[in-house]
């Protein structure tokens, strides 16, 4: 089955791609994504300066998912600006994830990265792991100011990666911000911020930074991810493509994201846990479920979730 999709006018050869942060910091990791069956190459969120990130251990898988407090380890935006032109040789979209430690950083990085020729730019408004820096996406005024400024310096389609919201009033407010600032796509959701995983045998936390608090990913967050995809889909429908992220471990999980309104899905925890072979497995599993259900493509079931 043809699993290609279109996001903001950009053709993506498979609806499965890595989530920013998963297997995408170094040149080697990005090139391996290029050679893999990932439908796109999504970079690690980049900052002005290269960063080592937080002290280890800073990622831990557990039966229900993962917790991380990586702290934005990345090569710095100039390194990614150098890499992006050559990543295009793999014949799939390159999606640059842009972050920053302050608003000005986002603008500086986006302007330079835009010129390096990515297909899409994903602006990360939702890193939960910078001590002392609240997630921008939880501040609608700060989000609006930042999106407007970045939008002005970006020529390629620009999306925002949002944190999960837990109240329809917050979906409404953020949908209004998105609707009036020229955002071309949404990536939903970042990890569920500031969870705590406990090892009862050792009587310890499982990651070192921030006293063990970190962003949750994987199966435990799937219902939260689906709720956010659905909430924004019902507000925009076909007018704004959504990349669904959160809890996709199987083809059926991906199908659920598509039903809720996602155009494509990103893979974080299961990519880290299983490696690049996961893309082929997910393609096979999604093809099987779409065939069984009589859908000819991922787009054919997009948003088709029924209410009772
Ligand atoms: O690097 C991280 O700690 C990190 C980032 Br920037 C993000 O957006 N989401 C996440 O779970 N970890």
């Amino acid at each position: 089955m043809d699993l290609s999709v279109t996001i903001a006018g950009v053709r993506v050869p498979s609806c499965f791609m890595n989530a920013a942060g998963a297997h995408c910091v170094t040149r080697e990791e990005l090139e391996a994504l290029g050679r893999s069956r990932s439908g796109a190459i999504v970079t690690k969120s980049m900052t002005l300066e290269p960063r080592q990130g937080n002290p280890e251990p800073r990622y831990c898988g557990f039966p229900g998912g993962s917790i991380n407090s990586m702290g934005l380890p990345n090569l710095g935006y100039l390194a990614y600006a150098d890499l992006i032109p050559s990543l295009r040789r793999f014949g799939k979209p390159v999606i640059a994830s842009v972050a920053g430690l302050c608003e000005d950083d986002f603008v500086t990085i986006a302007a330079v990265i835009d010129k390096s020729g990515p297909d899409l730019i994903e602006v990360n408004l939702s890193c939960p792991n910078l001590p002392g820096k609240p997630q921008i996406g939880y501040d609608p005024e700060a989000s609006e100011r930042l999106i407007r400024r970045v939008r002005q310096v970006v020529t390629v389609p620009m999306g925002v990666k949002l944190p999960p919201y837990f109240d329809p009033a917050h979906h409404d407010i953020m949908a209004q911000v998105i609707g009036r600032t020229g955002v071309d796509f949404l990536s939903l959701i970042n990890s569920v911020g500031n969870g705590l995983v406990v090892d009862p045998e050792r009587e310890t936390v499982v990651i070192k930074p921030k006293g063990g608090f970190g962003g949750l990913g994987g199966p435990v967050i799937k219902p939260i991810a689906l709720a956010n995809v659905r909430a924004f889909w019902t507000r925009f429908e076909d007018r704004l493509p959504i990349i669904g992220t959160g809890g996709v471990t199987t083809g059926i999980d991906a199908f659920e994201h598509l039903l809720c309104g996602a155009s494509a899905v990103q893979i974080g925890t299961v990519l880290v846990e299983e490696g690049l072979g996961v893309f082929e497995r997910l393609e096979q599993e999604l093809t099987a479920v779409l065939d069984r259900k009589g859908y000819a493509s991922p787009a054919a079931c997009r948003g088709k979730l029924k209410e009772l």
Side-chain angles (χ1 to χ4, degrees), residues 20-21 44-46 53-54 58 67-73 97 99 124-130 161 190-192 214-217:
K44 173 66 184 172
S45 291
M46 58 192 79
N54 291 337
R58 57 192 186 181
I67 185 166
N68 88 83
S69 183
M70 307 301 289
L72 265 166
S97 174
N124 185 356
L125 301 183
S126 46
C127 176
N129 297 330
L130 291 171
K161 174 93 169 257
N190 208 316
S191 57
V192 174
L216 300 174

PDB file of all heavy atoms in Angstrom, residues 20-21 44-46 53-54 58 67-73 97 99 124-130 161 190-192 214-217, ligand 1:
ATOM      1  N   ALA A  20      11.185  14.382  16.843  1.00  0.00           N
ATOM      2  CA  ALA A  20      12.356  15.175  17.212  1.00  0.00           C
ATOM      3  C   ALA A  20      12.897  14.648  18.530  1.00  0.00           C
ATOM      4  O   ALA A  20      12.147  14.383  19.471  1.00  0.00           O
ATOM      5  CB  ALA A  20      11.990  16.648  17.338  1.00  0.00           C
ATOM      6  N   GLY A  21      14.182  14.459  18.589  1.00  0.00           N
ATOM      7  CA  GLY A  21      14.822  13.974  19.806  1.00  0.00           C
ATOM      8  C   GLY A  21      15.213  12.512  19.717  1.00  0.00           C
ATOM      9  O   GLY A  21      16.184  12.099  20.342  1.00  0.00           O
ATOM     10  N   LYS A  44      16.999  16.799  15.822  1.00  0.00           N
ATOM     11  CA  LYS A  44      16.908  17.179  17.228  1.00  0.00           C
ATOM     12  C   LYS A  44      16.625  18.678  17.304  1.00  0.00           C
ATOM     13  O   LYS A  44      17.098  19.439  16.458  1.00  0.00           O
ATOM     14  CB  LYS A  44      18.239  16.852  17.928  1.00  0.00           C
ATOM     15  CG  LYS A  44      18.360  17.348  19.363  1.00  0.00           C
ATOM     16  CD  LYS A  44      17.385  16.653  20.304  1.00  0.00           C
ATOM     17  CE  LYS A  44      17.454  17.227  21.722  1.00  0.00           C
ATOM     18  NZ  LYS A  44      16.368  16.655  22.564  1.00  0.00           N
ATOM     19  N   SER A  45      15.860  19.105  18.279  1.00  0.00           N
ATOM     20  CA  SER A  45      15.669  20.537  18.492  1.00  0.00           C
ATOM     21  C   SER A  45      17.024  21.193  18.723  1.00  0.00           C
ATOM     22  O   SER A  45      17.824  20.707  19.519  1.00  0.00           O
ATOM     23  CB  SER A  45      14.774  20.783  19.702  1.00  0.00           C
ATOM     24  OG  SER A  45      13.453  20.369  19.435  1.00  0.00           O
ATOM     25  N   MET A  46      17.236  22.285  18.006  1.00  0.00           N
ATOM     26  CA  MET A  46      18.564  22.907  18.040  1.00  0.00           C
ATOM     27  C   MET A  46      18.544  24.239  18.787  1.00  0.00           C
ATOM     28  O   MET A  46      17.531  24.939  18.820  1.00  0.00           O
ATOM     29  CB  MET A  46      19.081  23.104  16.616  1.00  0.00           C
ATOM     30  CG  MET A  46      18.175  23.945  15.759  1.00  0.00           C
ATOM     31  SD  MET A  46      18.629  23.872  13.997  1.00  0.00           S
ATOM     32  CE  MET A  46      17.939  22.308  13.475  1.00  0.00           C
ATOM     33  N   GLY A  53      23.782  18.831  27.169  1.00  0.00           N
ATOM     34  CA  GLY A  53      22.541  18.378  27.795  1.00  0.00           C
ATOM     35  C   GLY A  53      22.738  18.111  29.280  1.00  0.00           C
ATOM     36  O   GLY A  53      23.782  18.422  29.853  1.00  0.00           O
ATOM     37  N   ASN A  54      21.711  17.544  29.884  1.00  0.00           N
ATOM     38  CA  ASN A  54      21.715  17.301  31.328  1.00  0.00           C
ATOM     39  C   ASN A  54      22.582  16.088  31.676  1.00  0.00           C
ATOM     40  O   ASN A  54      22.888  15.264  30.812  1.00  0.00           O
ATOM     41  CB  ASN A  54      20.276  17.060  31.815  1.00  0.00           C
ATOM     42  CG  ASN A  54      19.429  18.324  31.750  1.00  0.00           C
ATOM     43  OD1 ASN A  54      19.947  19.441  31.760  1.00  0.00           O
ATOM     44  ND2 ASN A  54      18.114  18.155  31.677  1.00  0.00           N
ATOM     45  N   ARG A  58      19.661  10.116  31.871  1.00  0.00           N
ATOM     46  CA  ARG A  58      18.676  11.161  31.571  1.00  0.00           C
ATOM     47  C   ARG A  58      17.551  10.641  30.681  1.00  0.00           C
ATOM     48  O   ARG A  58      16.692  11.387  30.250  1.00  0.00           O
ATOM     49  CB  ARG A  58      19.382  12.354  30.936  1.00  0.00           C
ATOM     50  CG  ARG A  58      20.156  12.001  29.670  1.00  0.00           C
ATOM     51  CD  ARG A  58      21.063  13.155  29.266  1.00  0.00           C
ATOM     52  NE  ARG A  58      21.695  12.876  27.984  1.00  0.00           N
ATOM     53  CZ  ARG A  58      22.553  13.699  27.388  1.00  0.00           C
ATOM     54  NH1 ARG A  58      22.904  14.840  27.975  1.00  0.00           N
ATOM     55  NH2 ARG A  58      23.068  13.395  26.212  1.00  0.00           N
ATOM     56  N   ILE A  67      10.756   7.939  30.294  1.00  0.00           N
ATOM     57  CA  ILE A  67      10.886   9.258  30.907  1.00  0.00           C
ATOM     58  C   ILE A  67      12.234   9.808  30.482  1.00  0.00           C
ATOM     59  O   ILE A  67      13.207   9.063  30.397  1.00  0.00           O
ATOM     60  CB  ILE A  67      10.743   9.185  32.450  1.00  0.00           C
ATOM     61  CG1 ILE A  67      10.764  10.584  33.068  1.00  0.00           C
ATOM     62  CG2 ILE A  67      11.810   8.304  33.079  1.00  0.00           C
ATOM     63  CD1 ILE A  67      10.303  10.615  34.532  1.00  0.00           C
ATOM     64  N   ASN A  68      12.262  11.110  30.148  1.00  0.00           N
ATOM     65  CA  ASN A  68      13.538  11.704  29.770  1.00  0.00           C
ATOM     66  C   ASN A  68      13.659  13.114  30.312  1.00  0.00           C
ATOM     67  O   ASN A  68      12.669  13.827  30.470  1.00  0.00           O
ATOM     68  CB  ASN A  68      13.711  11.719  28.243  1.00  0.00           C
ATOM     69  CG  ASN A  68      13.122  12.978  27.599  1.00  0.00           C
ATOM     70  OD1 ASN A  68      13.774  14.030  27.562  1.00  0.00           O
ATOM     71  ND2 ASN A  68      11.878  12.886  27.127  1.00  0.00           N
ATOM     72  N   SER A  69      14.909  13.465  30.579  1.00  0.00           N
ATOM     73  CA  SER A  69      15.247  14.861  30.827  1.00  0.00           C
ATOM     74  C   SER A  69      16.597  15.100  30.168  1.00  0.00           C
ATOM     75  O   SER A  69      17.617  15.274  30.825  1.00  0.00           O
ATOM     76  CB  SER A  69      15.299  15.167  32.323  1.00  0.00           C
ATOM     77  OG  SER A  69      15.563  16.545  32.511  1.00  0.00           O
ATOM     78  N   MET A  70      16.561  15.057  28.829  1.00  0.00           N
ATOM     79  CA  MET A  70      17.812  15.148  28.067  1.00  0.00           C
ATOM     80  C   MET A  70      18.452  16.525  28.227  1.00  0.00           C
ATOM     81  O   MET A  70      19.675  16.645  28.290  1.00  0.00           O
ATOM     82  CB  MET A  70      17.539  14.878  26.579  1.00  0.00           C
ATOM     83  CG  MET A  70      16.796  13.564  26.298  1.00  0.00           C
ATOM     84  SD  MET A  70      17.676  12.120  26.888  1.00  0.00           S
ATOM     85  CE  MET A  70      19.036  12.066  25.723  1.00  0.00           C
ATOM     86  N   GLY A  71      17.632  17.562  28.253  1.00  0.00           N
ATOM     87  CA  GLY A  71      18.167  18.920  28.400  1.00  0.00           C
ATOM     88  C   GLY A  71      18.750  19.481  27.117  1.00  0.00           C
ATOM     89  O   GLY A  71      19.732  20.226  27.153  1.00  0.00           O
ATOM     90  N   LEU A  72      18.136  19.125  25.981  1.00  0.00           N
ATOM     91  CA  LEU A  72      18.470  19.709  24.685  1.00  0.00           C
ATOM     92  C   LEU A  72      19.917  19.472  24.234  1.00  0.00           C
ATOM     93  O   LEU A  72      20.576  20.402  23.738  1.00  0.00           O
ATOM     94  CB  LEU A  72      18.185  21.213  24.709  1.00  0.00           C
ATOM     95  CG  LEU A  72      16.813  21.633  24.175  1.00  0.00           C
ATOM     96  CD1 LEU A  72      16.518  23.092  24.559  1.00  0.00           C
ATOM     97  CD2 LEU A  72      16.774  21.481  22.658  1.00  0.00           C
ATOM     98  N   PRO A  73      20.446  18.259  24.382  1.00  0.00           N
ATOM     99  CA  PRO A  73      21.772  18.017  23.805  1.00  0.00           C
ATOM    100  C   PRO A  73      21.681  18.136  22.281  1.00  0.00           C
ATOM    101  O   PRO A  73      20.810  17.519  21.651  1.00  0.00           O
ATOM    102  CB  PRO A  73      22.081  16.571  24.221  1.00  0.00           C
ATOM    103  CG  PRO A  73      20.730  15.937  24.398  1.00  0.00           C
ATOM    104  CD  PRO A  73      19.834  17.039  24.899  1.00  0.00           C
ATOM    105  N   SER A  97      13.875  20.966  13.561  1.00  0.00           N
ATOM    106  CA  SER A  97      13.224  21.320  14.827  1.00  0.00           C
ATOM    107  C   SER A  97      14.021  22.432  15.493  1.00  0.00           C
ATOM    108  O   SER A  97      15.198  22.265  15.824  1.00  0.00           O
ATOM    109  CB  SER A  97      13.123  20.102  15.748  1.00  0.00           C
ATOM    110  OG  SER A  97      12.622  20.505  17.016  1.00  0.00           O
ATOM    111  N   ALA A  99      14.575  25.245  18.482  1.00  0.00           N
ATOM    112  CA  ALA A  99      14.272  25.610  19.879  1.00  0.00           C
ATOM    113  C   ALA A  99      15.071  26.854  20.230  1.00  0.00           C
ATOM    114  O   ALA A  99      15.471  27.615  19.337  1.00  0.00           O
ATOM    115  CB  ALA A  99      14.579  24.447  20.805  1.00  0.00           C
ATOM    116  N   ASN A 124       9.713  24.213  18.336  1.00  0.00           N
ATOM    117  CA  ASN A 124       9.429  23.466  19.567  1.00  0.00           C
ATOM    118  C   ASN A 124       9.046  24.431  20.685  1.00  0.00           C
ATOM    119  O   ASN A 124       9.899  25.096  21.271  1.00  0.00           O
ATOM    120  CB  ASN A 124      10.656  22.644  19.949  1.00  0.00           C
ATOM    121  CG  ASN A 124      10.397  21.751  21.140  1.00  0.00           C
ATOM    122  OD1 ASN A 124       9.318  21.795  21.744  1.00  0.00           O
ATOM    123  ND2 ASN A 124      11.370  20.936  21.493  1.00  0.00           N
ATOM    124  N   LEU A 125       7.767  24.471  20.993  1.00  0.00           N
ATOM    125  CA  LEU A 125       7.272  25.346  22.067  1.00  0.00           C
ATOM    126  C   LEU A 125       7.076  24.568  23.363  1.00  0.00           C
ATOM    127  O   LEU A 125       6.346  25.026  24.252  1.00  0.00           O
ATOM    128  CB  LEU A 125       5.938  25.981  21.647  1.00  0.00           C
ATOM    129  CG  LEU A 125       5.962  26.829  20.370  1.00  0.00           C
ATOM    130  CD1 LEU A 125       4.588  27.444  20.112  1.00  0.00           C
ATOM    131  CD2 LEU A 125       7.012  27.916  20.465  1.00  0.00           C
ATOM    132  N   SER A 126       7.688  23.418  23.493  1.00  0.00           N
ATOM    133  CA  SER A 126       7.249  22.513  24.553  1.00  0.00           C
ATOM    134  C   SER A 126       8.329  21.651  25.184  1.00  0.00           C
ATOM    135  O   SER A 126       8.025  20.583  25.706  1.00  0.00           O
ATOM    136  CB  SER A 126       6.138  21.615  23.998  1.00  0.00           C
ATOM    137  OG  SER A 126       6.501  21.098  22.725  1.00  0.00           O
ATOM    138  N   CYS A 127       9.582  22.114  25.201  1.00  0.00           N
ATOM    139  CA  CYS A 127      10.587  21.324  25.929  1.00  0.00           C
ATOM    140  C   CYS A 127      10.315  21.410  27.430  1.00  0.00           C
ATOM    141  O   CYS A 127      10.304  22.502  27.997  1.00  0.00           O
ATOM    142  CB  CYS A 127      12.003  21.791  25.656  1.00  0.00           C
ATOM    143  SG  CYS A 127      13.176  20.858  26.671  1.00  0.00           S
ATOM    144  N   PRO A 128      10.104  20.266  28.088  1.00  0.00           N
ATOM    145  CA  PRO A 128       9.780  20.310  29.518  1.00  0.00           C
ATOM    146  C   PRO A 128      10.992  20.239  30.432  1.00  0.00           C
ATOM    147  O   PRO A 128      10.825  20.172  31.644  1.00  0.00           O
ATOM    148  CB  PRO A 128       8.913  19.052  29.685  1.00  0.00           C
ATOM    149  CG  PRO A 128       9.472  18.081  28.688  1.00  0.00           C
ATOM    150  CD  PRO A 128      10.008  18.907  27.526  1.00  0.00           C
ATOM    151  N   ASN A 129      12.182  20.226  29.888  1.00  0.00           N
ATOM    152  CA  ASN A 129      13.338  19.786  30.686  1.00  0.00           C
ATOM    153  C   ASN A 129      14.413  20.826  30.929  1.00  0.00           C
ATOM    154  O   ASN A 129      15.537  20.480  31.267  1.00  0.00           O
ATOM    155  CB  ASN A 129      13.978  18.567  30.018  1.00  0.00           C
ATOM    156  CG  ASN A 129      13.023  17.396  29.967  1.00  0.00           C
ATOM    157  OD1 ASN A 129      12.177  17.268  30.842  1.00  0.00           O
ATOM    158  ND2 ASN A 129      13.146  16.575  28.953  1.00  0.00           N
ATOM    159  N   LEU A 130      14.100  22.100  30.749  1.00  0.00           N
ATOM    160  CA  LEU A 130      15.113  23.114  31.016  1.00  0.00           C
ATOM    161  C   LEU A 130      14.816  23.720  32.386  1.00  0.00           C
ATOM    162  O   LEU A 130      13.840  24.449  32.540  1.00  0.00           O
ATOM    163  CB  LEU A 130      15.086  24.183  29.926  1.00  0.00           C
ATOM    164  CG  LEU A 130      15.563  23.679  28.558  1.00  0.00           C
ATOM    165  CD1 LEU A 130      15.309  24.721  27.484  1.00  0.00           C
ATOM    166  CD2 LEU A 130      17.034  23.292  28.598  1.00  0.00           C
ATOM    167  N   LYS A 161       5.353  22.563  17.581  1.00  0.00           N
ATOM    168  CA  LYS A 161       5.236  21.358  18.413  1.00  0.00           C
ATOM    169  C   LYS A 161       4.737  21.813  19.773  1.00  0.00           C
ATOM    170  O   LYS A 161       5.404  22.583  20.468  1.00  0.00           O
ATOM    171  CB  LYS A 161       6.616  20.688  18.539  1.00  0.00           C
ATOM    172  CG  LYS A 161       6.692  19.496  19.478  1.00  0.00           C
ATOM    173  CD  LYS A 161       6.475  18.198  18.753  1.00  0.00           C
ATOM    174  CE  LYS A 161       6.797  16.975  19.581  1.00  0.00           C
ATOM    175  NZ  LYS A 161       8.081  16.358  19.230  1.00  0.00           N
ATOM    176  N   ASN A 190       4.305  16.941  22.426  1.00  0.00           N
ATOM    177  CA  ASN A 190       5.594  16.680  23.048  1.00  0.00           C
ATOM    178  C   ASN A 190       5.358  15.737  24.239  1.00  0.00           C
ATOM    179  O   ASN A 190       4.220  15.357  24.532  1.00  0.00           O
ATOM    180  CB  ASN A 190       6.223  18.000  23.498  1.00  0.00           C
ATOM    181  CG  ASN A 190       7.747  17.943  23.518  1.00  0.00           C
ATOM    182  OD1 ASN A 190       8.340  16.972  23.973  1.00  0.00           O
ATOM    183  ND2 ASN A 190       8.376  18.992  23.029  1.00  0.00           N
ATOM    184  N   SER A 191       6.427  15.362  24.890  1.00  0.00           N
ATOM    185  CA  SER A 191       6.277  14.473  26.046  1.00  0.00           C
ATOM    186  C   SER A 191       5.397  15.148  27.104  1.00  0.00           C
ATOM    187  O   SER A 191       5.274  16.363  27.147  1.00  0.00           O
ATOM    188  CB  SER A 191       7.652  14.127  26.622  1.00  0.00           C
ATOM    189  OG  SER A 191       8.344  15.303  26.968  1.00  0.00           O
ATOM    190  N   VAL A 192       4.791  14.334  27.923  1.00  0.00           N
ATOM    191  CA  VAL A 192       3.953  14.846  29.016  1.00  0.00           C
ATOM    192  C   VAL A 192       4.897  15.258  30.139  1.00  0.00           C
ATOM    193  O   VAL A 192       5.565  14.423  30.755  1.00  0.00           O
ATOM    194  CB  VAL A 192       2.941  13.783  29.471  1.00  0.00           C
ATOM    195  CG1 VAL A 192       2.166  14.263  30.695  1.00  0.00           C
ATOM    196  CG2 VAL A 192       1.976  13.459  28.326  1.00  0.00           C
ATOM    197  N   GLY A 214      10.692  14.285  34.679  1.00  0.00           N
ATOM    198  CA  GLY A 214      11.013  14.342  33.259  1.00  0.00           C
ATOM    199  C   GLY A 214       9.792  14.148  32.393  1.00  0.00           C
ATOM    200  O   GLY A 214       8.674  13.929  32.888  1.00  0.00           O
ATOM    201  N   GLY A 215       9.998  14.251  31.084  1.00  0.00           N
ATOM    202  CA  GLY A 215       8.908  14.135  30.111  1.00  0.00           C
ATOM    203  C   GLY A 215       8.580  12.678  29.843  1.00  0.00           C
ATOM    204  O   GLY A 215       9.467  11.866  29.575  1.00  0.00           O
ATOM    205  N   LEU A 216       7.297  12.355  29.930  1.00  0.00           N
ATOM    206  CA  LEU A 216       6.845  10.985  29.691  1.00  0.00           C
ATOM    207  C   LEU A 216       6.517  10.786  28.211  1.00  0.00           C
ATOM    208  O   LEU A 216       5.911  11.657  27.573  1.00  0.00           O
ATOM    209  CB  LEU A 216       5.591  10.682  30.510  1.00  0.00           C
ATOM    210  CG  LEU A 216       5.712  10.789  32.019  1.00  0.00           C
ATOM    211  CD1 LEU A 216       4.342  10.604  32.678  1.00  0.00           C
ATOM    212  CD2 LEU A 216       6.702   9.749  32.551  1.00  0.00           C
ATOM    213  N   GLY A 217       6.885   9.619  27.692  1.00  0.00           N
ATOM    214  CA  GLY A 217       6.538   9.238  26.329  1.00  0.00           C
ATOM    215  C   GLY A 217       6.085   7.791  26.305  1.00  0.00           C
ATOM    216  O   GLY A 217       6.122   7.100  27.327  1.00  0.00           O
TER     217      GLY A 217
HETATM  218  O1  LIG B   1      15.952  17.560  25.104  1.00  0.00           O
HETATM  219  C1  LIG B   1      14.990  17.343  25.863  1.00  0.00           C
HETATM  220  O2  LIG B   1      15.112  17.191  27.090  1.00  0.00           O
HETATM  221  C2  LIG B   1      13.622  17.267  25.360  1.00  0.00           C
HETATM  222  C3  LIG B   1      13.076  18.195  24.502  1.00  0.00           C
HETATM  223 BR1  LIG B   1      14.050  19.585  23.751  1.00  0.00          BR
HETATM  224  C4  LIG B   1      11.700  18.094  24.152  1.00  0.00           C
HETATM  225  O3  LIG B   1      11.145  18.908  23.412  1.00  0.00           O
HETATM  226  N1  LIG B   1      11.001  17.063  24.688  1.00  0.00           N
HETATM  227  C5  LIG B   1      11.545  16.166  25.504  1.00  0.00           C
HETATM  228  O4  LIG B   1      10.839  15.252  25.969  1.00  0.00           O
HETATM  229  N2  LIG B   1      12.863  16.258  25.830  1.00  0.00           N
END
